[in-house]
PDB file of all heavy atoms in Angstrom:
ATOM      1  N   ALA A  29     -59.304  -4.227 -61.384  1.00 95.00           N
ATOM      2  CA  ALA A  29     -59.281  -3.500 -60.065  1.00 95.00           C
ATOM      3  C   ALA A  29     -59.090  -2.002 -60.353  1.00 95.00           C
ATOM      4  O   ALA A  29     -59.895  -1.123 -59.615  1.00 95.00           O
ATOM      5  CB  ALA A  29     -58.280  -3.865 -59.077  1.00 95.00           C
ATOM      6  N   ARG A  30     -58.406  -1.525 -61.291  1.00 91.00           N
ATOM      7  CA  ARG A  30     -58.136  -0.091 -61.457  1.00 91.00           C
ATOM      8  C   ARG A  30     -59.396   0.615 -62.159  1.00 91.00           C
ATOM      9  O   ARG A  30     -59.383   1.831 -62.353  1.00 91.00           O
ATOM     10  CB  ARG A  30     -56.870   0.160 -62.388  1.00 91.00           C
ATOM     11  CG  ARG A  30     -55.629  -0.222 -61.547  1.00 91.00           C
ATOM     12  CD  ARG A  30     -54.411   0.275 -62.168  1.00 91.00           C
ATOM     13  NE  ARG A  30     -53.173  -0.082 -61.474  1.00 91.00           N
ATOM     14  CZ  ARG A  30     -51.927   0.288 -61.775  1.00 91.00           C
ATOM     15  NH1 ARG A  30     -51.835   1.047 -62.845  1.00 91.00           N
ATOM     16  NH2 ARG A  30     -51.010   0.066 -60.953  1.00 91.00           N
ATOM     17  N   ASP A  31     -60.379  -0.280 -62.482  1.00 93.00           N
ATOM     18  CA  ASP A  31     -61.515   0.389 -62.925  1.00 93.00           C
ATOM     19  C   ASP A  31     -62.504   0.976 -61.919  1.00 93.00           C
ATOM     20  O   ASP A  31     -63.446   1.593 -62.121  1.00 93.00           O
ATOM     21  CB  ASP A  31     -62.453  -0.627 -63.865  1.00 93.00           C
ATOM     22  CG  ASP A  31     -61.699  -1.020 -65.065  1.00 93.00           C
ATOM     23  OD1 ASP A  31     -60.820  -0.284 -65.601  1.00 93.00           O
ATOM     24  OD2 ASP A  31     -61.928  -2.130 -65.614  1.00 93.00           O
ATOM     25  N   PHE A  32     -62.177   0.552 -60.714  1.00 93.00           N
ATOM     26  CA  PHE A  32     -62.921   0.909 -59.478  1.00 93.00           C
ATOM     27  C   PHE A  32     -62.371   2.282 -58.948  1.00 93.00           C
ATOM     28  O   PHE A  32     -61.321   2.730 -59.494  1.00 93.00           O
ATOM     29  CB  PHE A  32     -62.753  -0.024 -58.296  1.00 93.00           C
ATOM     30  CG  PHE A  32     -63.572  -1.302 -58.641  1.00 93.00           C
ATOM     31  CD1 PHE A  32     -63.157  -2.192 -59.721  1.00 93.00           C
ATOM     32  CD2 PHE A  32     -64.684  -1.643 -57.808  1.00 93.00           C
ATOM     33  CE1 PHE A  32     -63.885  -3.490 -59.786  1.00 93.00           C
ATOM     34  CE2 PHE A  32     -65.375  -2.758 -58.047  1.00 93.00           C
ATOM     35  CZ  PHE A  32     -64.991  -3.695 -59.138  1.00 93.00           C
ATOM     36  N   ASP A  33     -63.115   3.002 -58.085  1.00 90.00           N
ATOM     37  CA  ASP A  33     -62.822   4.264 -57.602  1.00 90.00           C
ATOM     38  C   ASP A  33     -61.852   3.954 -56.364  1.00 90.00           C
ATOM     39  O   ASP A  33     -62.274   3.568 -55.261  1.00 90.00           O
ATOM     40  CB  ASP A  33     -64.009   4.990 -57.070  1.00 90.00           C
ATOM     41  CG  ASP A  33     -63.649   6.360 -56.616  1.00 90.00           C
ATOM     42  OD1 ASP A  33     -62.554   6.826 -56.751  1.00 90.00           O
ATOM     43  OD2 ASP A  33     -64.676   6.976 -55.980  1.00 90.00           O
ATOM     44  N   LEU A  34     -60.552   4.124 -56.609  1.00 93.00           N
ATOM     45  CA  LEU A  34     -59.526   3.685 -55.676  1.00 93.00           C
ATOM     46  C   LEU A  34     -58.749   4.783 -55.143  1.00 93.00           C
ATOM     47  O   LEU A  34     -58.603   5.839 -55.862  1.00 93.00           O
ATOM     48  CB  LEU A  34     -58.573   2.728 -56.291  1.00 93.00           C
ATOM     49  CG  LEU A  34     -59.069   1.465 -57.026  1.00 93.00           C
ATOM     50  CD1 LEU A  34     -57.929   0.796 -57.730  1.00 93.00           C
ATOM     51  CD2 LEU A  34     -59.782   0.527 -56.052  1.00 93.00           C
ATOM     52  N   PRO A  35     -58.295   4.821 -53.884  1.00 89.00           N
ATOM     53  CA  PRO A  35     -57.348   5.817 -53.452  1.00 89.00           C
ATOM     54  C   PRO A  35     -55.980   5.669 -54.213  1.00 89.00           C
ATOM     55  O   PRO A  35     -55.660   4.600 -54.647  1.00 89.00           O
ATOM     56  CB  PRO A  35     -57.035   5.439 -51.958  1.00 89.00           C
ATOM     57  CG  PRO A  35     -58.216   4.584 -51.564  1.00 89.00           C
ATOM     58  CD  PRO A  35     -58.644   3.821 -52.815  1.00 89.00           C
ATOM     59  N   PHE A  36     -55.281   6.658 -54.270  1.00 88.00           N
ATOM     60  CA  PHE A  36     -53.976   6.697 -55.041  1.00 88.00           C
ATOM     61  C   PHE A  36     -53.024   5.587 -54.502  1.00 88.00           C
ATOM     62  O   PHE A  36     -52.487   4.791 -55.316  1.00 88.00           O
ATOM     63  CB  PHE A  36     -53.240   8.009 -54.977  1.00 88.00           C
ATOM     64  CG  PHE A  36     -51.816   8.020 -55.416  1.00 88.00           C
ATOM     65  CD1 PHE A  36     -51.533   7.848 -56.827  1.00 88.00           C
ATOM     66  CD2 PHE A  36     -50.873   8.156 -54.421  1.00 88.00           C
ATOM     67  CE1 PHE A  36     -50.136   7.804 -56.997  1.00 88.00           C
ATOM     68  CE2 PHE A  36     -49.532   7.913 -54.784  1.00 88.00           C
ATOM     69  CZ  PHE A  36     -49.171   7.833 -56.139  1.00 88.00           C
ATOM     70  N   ILE A  37     -52.901   5.417 -53.227  1.00 89.00           N
ATOM     71  CA  ILE A  37     -51.973   4.575 -52.656  1.00 89.00           C
ATOM     72  C   ILE A  37     -52.354   3.074 -53.020  1.00 89.00           C
ATOM     73  O   ILE A  37     -51.548   2.243 -53.122  1.00 89.00           O
ATOM     74  CB  ILE A  37     -51.716   4.789 -51.209  1.00 89.00           C
ATOM     75  CG1 ILE A  37     -50.386   4.122 -50.691  1.00 89.00           C
ATOM     76  CG2 ILE A  37     -52.924   4.367 -50.382  1.00 89.00           C
ATOM     77  CD1 ILE A  37     -49.194   4.824 -51.389  1.00 89.00           C
ATOM     78  N   THR A  38     -53.715   2.862 -53.089  1.00 93.00           N
ATOM     79  CA  THR A  38     -54.101   1.554 -53.403  1.00 93.00           C
ATOM     80  C   THR A  38     -53.740   1.270 -54.766  1.00 93.00           C
ATOM     81  O   THR A  38     -53.376   0.061 -55.070  1.00 93.00           O
ATOM     82  CB  THR A  38     -55.650   1.458 -53.289  1.00 93.00           C
ATOM     83  OG1 THR A  38     -55.958   1.731 -51.885  1.00 93.00           O
ATOM     84  CG2 THR A  38     -56.197   0.075 -53.639  1.00 93.00           C
ATOM     85  N   GLU A  39     -53.734   2.180 -55.724  1.00 93.00           N
ATOM     86  CA  GLU A  39     -53.243   1.890 -57.013  1.00 93.00           C
ATOM     87  C   GLU A  39     -51.830   1.526 -57.133  1.00 93.00           C
ATOM     88  O   GLU A  39     -51.346   0.616 -57.854  1.00 93.00           O
ATOM     89  CB  GLU A  39     -53.546   3.032 -58.023  1.00 93.00           C
ATOM     90  CG  GLU A  39     -55.080   3.435 -58.193  1.00 93.00           C
ATOM     91  CD  GLU A  39     -55.219   4.441 -59.171  1.00 93.00           C
ATOM     92  OE1 GLU A  39     -54.431   4.497 -60.158  1.00 93.00           O
ATOM     93  OE2 GLU A  39     -56.270   5.157 -59.172  1.00 93.00           O
ATOM     94  N   VAL A  40     -50.958   2.198 -56.280  1.00 92.00           N
ATOM     95  CA  VAL A  40     -49.621   2.073 -56.240  1.00 92.00           C
ATOM     96  C   VAL A  40     -49.371   0.508 -55.629  1.00 92.00           C
ATOM     97  O   VAL A  40     -48.573  -0.256 -56.232  1.00 92.00           O
ATOM     98  CB  VAL A  40     -48.856   3.025 -55.297  1.00 92.00           C
ATOM     99  CG1 VAL A  40     -47.441   2.794 -55.175  1.00 92.00           C
ATOM    100  CG2 VAL A  40     -49.134   4.378 -55.904  1.00 92.00           C
ATOM    101  N   VAL A  41     -50.092   0.209 -54.668  1.00 94.00           N
ATOM    102  CA  VAL A  41     -49.928  -1.212 -54.048  1.00 94.00           C
ATOM    103  C   VAL A  41     -50.399  -2.271 -54.989  1.00 94.00           C
ATOM    104  O   VAL A  41     -49.631  -3.282 -55.194  1.00 94.00           O
ATOM    105  CB  VAL A  41     -50.775  -1.317 -52.770  1.00 94.00           C
ATOM    106  CG1 VAL A  41     -50.743  -2.722 -52.229  1.00 94.00           C
ATOM    107  CG2 VAL A  41     -50.178  -0.355 -51.745  1.00 94.00           C
ATOM    108  N   LEU A  42     -51.421  -2.035 -55.779  1.00 95.00           N
ATOM    109  CA  LEU A  42     -51.836  -2.976 -56.779  1.00 95.00           C
ATOM    110  C   LEU A  42     -50.816  -3.248 -57.797  1.00 95.00           C
ATOM    111  O   LEU A  42     -50.630  -4.355 -58.280  1.00 95.00           O
ATOM    112  CB  LEU A  42     -53.103  -2.492 -57.492  1.00 95.00           C
ATOM    113  CG  LEU A  42     -54.494  -2.597 -56.697  1.00 95.00           C
ATOM    114  CD1 LEU A  42     -55.609  -1.906 -57.366  1.00 95.00           C
ATOM    115  CD2 LEU A  42     -54.734  -4.058 -56.364  1.00 95.00           C
ATOM    116  N   ALA A  43     -50.131  -2.202 -58.230  1.00 93.00           N
ATOM    117  CA  ALA A  43     -48.940  -2.416 -59.241  1.00 93.00           C
ATOM    118  C   ALA A  43     -47.911  -3.187 -58.571  1.00 93.00           C
ATOM    119  O   ALA A  43     -47.287  -4.148 -59.342  1.00 93.00           O
ATOM    120  CB  ALA A  43     -48.411  -1.043 -59.632  1.00 93.00           C
ATOM    121  N   GLU A  44     -47.620  -3.127 -57.315  1.00 93.00           N
ATOM    122  CA  GLU A  44     -46.561  -3.861 -56.690  1.00 93.00           C
ATOM    123  C   GLU A  44     -46.986  -5.418 -56.610  1.00 93.00           C
ATOM    124  O   GLU A  44     -46.219  -6.334 -56.853  1.00 93.00           O
ATOM    125  CB  GLU A  44     -46.339  -3.350 -55.241  1.00 93.00           C
ATOM    126  CG  GLU A  44     -45.556  -2.061 -55.239  1.00 93.00           C
ATOM    127  CD  GLU A  44     -44.112  -2.258 -55.623  1.00 93.00           C
ATOM    128  OE1 GLU A  44     -43.508  -3.292 -55.371  1.00 93.00           O
ATOM    129  OE2 GLU A  44     -43.489  -1.145 -56.030  1.00 93.00           O
ATOM    130  N   ILE A  45     -48.246  -5.653 -56.242  1.00 95.00           N
ATOM    131  CA  ILE A  45     -48.924  -7.004 -56.244  1.00 95.00           C
ATOM    132  C   ILE A  45     -48.740  -7.623 -57.581  1.00 95.00           C
ATOM    133  O   ILE A  45     -48.384  -8.809 -57.698  1.00 95.00           O
ATOM    134  CB  ILE A  45     -50.254  -6.990 -55.619  1.00 95.00           C
ATOM    135  CG1 ILE A  45     -50.213  -6.420 -54.269  1.00 95.00           C
ATOM    136  CG2 ILE A  45     -50.792  -8.369 -55.650  1.00 95.00           C
ATOM    137  CD1 ILE A  45     -49.304  -7.102 -53.228  1.00 95.00           C
ATOM    138  N   ALA A  46     -49.117  -6.942 -58.611  1.00 95.00           N
ATOM    139  CA  ALA A  46     -49.150  -7.506 -60.048  1.00 95.00           C
ATOM    140  C   ALA A  46     -47.740  -7.877 -60.370  1.00 95.00           C
ATOM    141  O   ALA A  46     -47.577  -8.911 -61.025  1.00 95.00           O
ATOM    142  CB  ALA A  46     -49.770  -6.413 -60.884  1.00 95.00           C
ATOM    143  N   ALA A  47     -46.800  -7.032 -60.045  1.00 93.00           N
ATOM    144  CA  ALA A  47     -45.403  -7.375 -60.310  1.00 93.00           C
ATOM    145  C   ALA A  47     -44.793  -8.602 -59.650  1.00 93.00           C
ATOM    146  O   ALA A  47     -43.861  -9.088 -60.035  1.00 93.00           O
ATOM    147  CB  ALA A  47     -44.497  -6.083 -60.106  1.00 93.00           C
ATOM    148  N   ARG A  48     -45.536  -8.987 -58.547  1.00 92.00           N
ATOM    149  CA  ARG A  48     -44.987 -10.087 -57.728  1.00 92.00           C
ATOM    150  C   ARG A  48     -45.851 -11.384 -57.872  1.00 92.00           C
ATOM    151  O   ARG A  48     -45.533 -12.297 -57.167  1.00 92.00           O
ATOM    152  CB  ARG A  48     -45.135  -9.747 -56.291  1.00 92.00           C
ATOM    153  CG  ARG A  48     -44.028  -8.612 -55.859  1.00 92.00           C
ATOM    154  CD  ARG A  48     -43.824  -8.427 -54.332  1.00 92.00           C
ATOM    155  NE  ARG A  48     -43.573  -9.748 -53.812  1.00 92.00           N
ATOM    156  CZ  ARG A  48     -42.353 -10.262 -53.859  1.00 92.00           C
ATOM    157  NH1 ARG A  48     -41.359  -9.720 -54.437  1.00 92.00           N
ATOM    158  NH2 ARG A  48     -42.061 -11.532 -53.319  1.00 92.00           N
ATOM    159  N   LEU A  49     -46.633 -11.405 -58.832  1.00 95.00           N
ATOM    160  CA  LEU A  49     -47.527 -12.662 -58.961  1.00 95.00           C
ATOM    161  C   LEU A  49     -46.688 -13.880 -59.241  1.00 95.00           C
ATOM    162  O   LEU A  49     -47.086 -15.006 -58.920  1.00 95.00           O
ATOM    163  CB  LEU A  49     -48.486 -12.388 -60.147  1.00 95.00           C
ATOM    164  CG  LEU A  49     -49.618 -11.432 -59.899  1.00 95.00           C
ATOM    165  CD1 LEU A  49     -50.532 -11.267 -61.133  1.00 95.00           C
ATOM    166  CD2 LEU A  49     -50.510 -11.951 -58.671  1.00 95.00           C
ATOM    167  N   ASP A  50     -45.497 -13.875 -59.876  1.00 94.00           N
ATOM    168  CA  ASP A  50     -44.688 -15.050 -60.257  1.00 94.00           C
ATOM    169  C   ASP A  50     -43.825 -15.347 -59.113  1.00 94.00           C
ATOM    170  O   ASP A  50     -43.025 -16.310 -59.180  1.00 94.00           O
ATOM    171  CB  ASP A  50     -43.941 -14.722 -61.483  1.00 94.00           C
ATOM    172  CG  ASP A  50     -44.849 -14.584 -62.740  1.00 94.00           C
ATOM    173  OD1 ASP A  50     -45.896 -15.156 -62.672  1.00 94.00           O
ATOM    174  OD2 ASP A  50     -44.419 -13.834 -63.669  1.00 94.00           O
ATOM    175  N   ASP A  51     -43.848 -14.606 -58.044  1.00 93.00           N
ATOM    176  CA  ASP A  51     -42.899 -14.864 -56.878  1.00 93.00           C
ATOM    177  C   ASP A  51     -43.710 -15.001 -55.582  1.00 93.00           C
ATOM    178  O   ASP A  51     -44.147 -13.939 -55.041  1.00 93.00           O
ATOM    179  CB  ASP A  51     -41.952 -13.745 -56.741  1.00 93.00           C
ATOM    180  CG  ASP A  51     -40.841 -14.049 -55.704  1.00 93.00           C
ATOM    181  OD1 ASP A  51     -40.919 -15.030 -55.064  1.00 93.00           O
ATOM    182  OD2 ASP A  51     -39.909 -13.094 -55.496  1.00 93.00           O
ATOM    183  N   PRO A  52     -43.977 -16.206 -55.186  1.00 93.00           N
ATOM    184  CA  PRO A  52     -44.838 -16.273 -53.965  1.00 93.00           C
ATOM    185  C   PRO A  52     -44.229 -15.999 -52.637  1.00 93.00           C
ATOM    186  O   PRO A  52     -44.811 -15.948 -51.595  1.00 93.00           O
ATOM    187  CB  PRO A  52     -45.276 -17.812 -54.062  1.00 93.00           C
ATOM    188  CG  PRO A  52     -44.197 -18.475 -54.782  1.00 93.00           C
ATOM    189  CD  PRO A  52     -43.693 -17.390 -55.742  1.00 93.00           C
ATOM    190  N   GLY A  53     -42.900 -15.906 -52.681  1.00 93.00           N
ATOM    191  CA  GLY A  53     -42.137 -15.662 -51.507  1.00 93.00           C
ATOM    192  C   GLY A  53     -42.218 -14.192 -50.984  1.00 93.00           C
ATOM    193  O   GLY A  53     -42.587 -13.314 -51.836  1.00 93.00           O
ATOM    194  N   PRO A  54     -41.870 -13.905 -49.786  1.00 92.00           N
ATOM    195  CA  PRO A  54     -41.868 -12.507 -49.329  1.00 92.00           C
ATOM    196  C   PRO A  54     -40.853 -11.583 -50.044  1.00 92.00           C
ATOM    197  O   PRO A  54     -39.719 -12.114 -50.390  1.00 92.00           O
ATOM    198  CB  PRO A  54     -41.588 -12.628 -47.823  1.00 92.00           C
ATOM    199  CG  PRO A  54     -40.812 -13.852 -47.731  1.00 92.00           C
ATOM    200  CD  PRO A  54     -41.412 -14.851 -48.705  1.00 92.00           C
TER     201      PRO A  54
END
């Protein structure tokens, strides 16, 4: 995903999502 032209905040959110892949809970 980071190879695409992304807004800065989208990159930050993607990092958060990647860090939570092993935890399906909120």
